[in-house]
Amino acid sequence: MSRRPAGGRALTPTARVRRLRRRITALFALTSAVGLVTMAVLAVRSDDARWREQLDRAMNLDTTQAIGLLAYDGDDRLDTTDLVGTMDTGCPQLTVLSVPRDGSTGPVVDHAGKDPCLAGAPADVRAVAEAALRRGDVVAVEGRSVDGRPVRLFAEPFFAPDAEGPTGRDGAVVTLYESTEAMAEHRRTTWLLSAGCAVLVVLSAAVGHLLSGRAIRPALTVLGQQEAFLADAAHDLRTPVASLRMLAETALRGDTDSTEVLRRTMRLADGMGGLVDGLLTRARLMTGVQTLAREPLRLDQLVEAVVADAPSEGQRVTVRAEETVVLADPDLVRRAVGNLLGNALTHGHAPGEPAVVRVEIAREGREGVVTVTDAGPGLPTGVADALFERFRSGSGSTGLGLSIASWVAHAHGGSLTAASGGPGGPGGLGGARFVLRLPAAES
């Protein structure tokens, strides 16, 4: 049962194969996109974590050094003298916050660099210090400077020398770095990865389209050959089937002699048998079911046998042959020569006159040549090149015979050409002239 698109006609087999190609292309592109996007997301996250980790490591060095320089005076108060004398606490700003002993308030600022080149918003500094004190471990967060620039804040808690346990947290050191450049670099990396993924998805779709095209090409070829065969059969059998029906209707009415009806029926049956045989031969040749069985072959003897078997009663067929050996498939060459001879006997004469045909076999260089010349009206101008296409005999016949003969010639590495002899032309008959060339066997 054929599938129908919504609201449309049933799709042909070729259309379904082409639709399958589009689906394969889409699936290939989708699979590639999922893989590439997944890798891009992982790469972006890794890059994001990398630049944050680098900033955190640099800030951790600063806070650890600062904590090592903190001291307490005789009244157990925090002393930042060594810190200020040793480190530049203003660029970027390094802030020391401590918790009052009574715990009445949150951490208060004990020291902040003066005229800092980069200062964090006080609320952000206090919040990251409180988070570090709650966790008892370092904390890094995103924030803003006092002038609105994006910064990364890092806080590390410290403890009083005599403190024990969780209540011994004494304060935190907070530093910050500007993250504008790192974030810009990260965004550039993200855009590059996104663009690269888009380009790769497009390329994968193109490659998938090409590969799927190659994959379905044999199927399209077979479907094309099948459709051509069905078209040939429908085209060529329509007329004889209609004639048989007409004869049957005539016999039923009793309008003519039954013997004549049977005789005409037999002629039509013979013609249909030859037509079906030609169609099947052409189908086997085109699909590769019938392959070449090359062997040394006496071309002159084969042609003479074909002429002897041809229904040429009342016709004039002359043969001029010289010993010629070719390397070819006997059955296929016999059919090709038979088709050329049958074409000449059918069309190589004037109306009401017997056919006059001359067949010549000779060796020319490395080729065996069969020339079939008739005394008919010749070939119309511009028809010779189209004669070997099916349905293009130029005389109302099927055109399959010449098409098969041409295929046989080319399958052997030879050729089949047609031309008008003209008055006094090659062959001396002036009609159509067909030249079949086949590779000669090595001597």
Side-chain angles (χ1 to χ4, degrees), residues 2-13 15-16 19:
S2 60
R3 296 182 179 180
R4 292 177 178 270
R9 298 181 300 175
L11 292 175
T12 64
R16 288 201 295 270
R19 184 175 64 178

Side-chain angles (χ1 to χ4, degrees), residues 108-135:
V108 294
V109 176
D110 275 293
H111 171 78
K114 296 181 179 179
D115 300 324
C117 61
L118 181 65
D124 291 342
V125 172
R126 184 181 180 87
V128 72
E130 290 177 345
L133 289 169
R134 282 195 304 271
R135 290 182 54 184

Side-chain angles (χ1 to χ4, degrees), residues 66 123 130 271 291 301 312 329 354 381 426:
E130 290 177 345
T291 56
Q301 293 179 352
S312 57
D329 186 313
T381 303

Side-chain angles (χ1 to χ4, degrees), residues 312-317 344-345 347-357 375-376:
S312 57
E313 184 179 352
Q315 318 290 343
R316 291 169 51 194
V317 181
L345 291 173
H347 308 297
H349 59 88
E353 298 292 333
V356 179
V357 180

Side-chain angles (χ1 to χ4, degrees), residues 15 41 102 108 115 140 150 189 209 240 252 259 278 290 294 301 303 306 311 341 344 359 374 390 392 395 401 430 439:
V41 169
D102 57 9
V108 294
D115 300 324
T189 301
H209 191 68
L252 286 174
T259 302
Q290 184 166 343
R294 297 175 185 265
Q301 293 179 352
V303 174
V306 171
L341 181 59
V359 182
D374 60 51
R390 56 193 177 96
R392 294 298 298 273
S395 57

Side-chain angles (χ1 to χ4, degrees), residues 132-189:
L133 289 169
R134 282 195 304 271
R135 290 182 54 184
D137 198 1
V138 296
V139 173
V141 297
E142 305 298 328
R144 291 282 174 178
S145 66
V146 291
D147 55 0
R149 286 180 289 176
V151 294
R152 185 161 178 82
L153 297 113
F154 186 92
E156 182 176 356
F158 62 88
F159 307 93
D162 58 349
E164 295 182 0
T167 58
R169 301 188 190 102
D170 207 20
V173 177
V174 179
T175 188
L176 70 160
Y177 270 67
E178 185 177 358
S179 57
T180 304
E181 184 177 348
M183 292 179 67
E185 182 65 28
H186 176 66
R187 283 194 294 270
R188 282 194 294 270
T189 301

Side-chain angles (χ1 to χ4, degrees), residues 73-238:
D73 59 17
D75 296 329
D76 203 20
R77 289 178 298 189
L78 190 64
D79 184 2
T80 60
T81 305
D82 292 340
L83 172 64
V84 175
T86 304
M87 294 182 62
D88 180 6
T89 61
C91 194
Q93 186 184 53
L94 192 146
T95 307
V96 179
L97 300 95
S98 62
V99 179
R101 289 296 181 181
D102 57 9
S104 58
T105 63
V108 294
V109 176
D110 275 293
H111 171 78
K114 296 181 179 179
D115 300 324
C117 61
L118 181 65
D124 291 342
V125 172
R126 184 181 180 87
V128 72
E130 290 177 345
L133 289 169
R134 282 195 304 271
R135 290 182 54 184
D137 198 1
V138 296
V139 173
V141 297
E142 305 298 328
R144 291 282 174 178
S145 66
V146 291
D147 55 0
R149 286 180 289 176
V151 294
R152 185 161 178 82
L153 297 113
F154 186 92
E156 182 176 356
F158 62 88
F159 307 93
D162 58 349
E164 295 182 0
T167 58
R169 301 188 190 102
D170 207 20
V173 177
V174 179
T175 188
L176 70 160
Y177 270 67
E178 185 177 358
S179 57
T180 304
E181 184 177 348
M183 292 179 67
E185 182 65 28
H186 176 66
R187 283 194 294 270
R188 282 194 294 270
T189 301
T190 302
W191 278 109
L192 286 175
L193 286 172
S194 301
C197 284
V199 171
L200 289 175
V201 168
V202 172
L203 287 177
S204 67
V207 171
H209 191 68
L210 291 176
L211 293 178
S212 61
R214 288 192 175 188
I216 69 170
R217 190 174 301 159
L220 288 175
T221 300
V222 171
L223 287 174
Q225 292 168 349
Q226 180 186 23
E227 291 178 1
F229 174 78
L230 294 176
D232 290 346
H235 178 275
D236 296 330
L237 293 175
R238 186 179 296 113

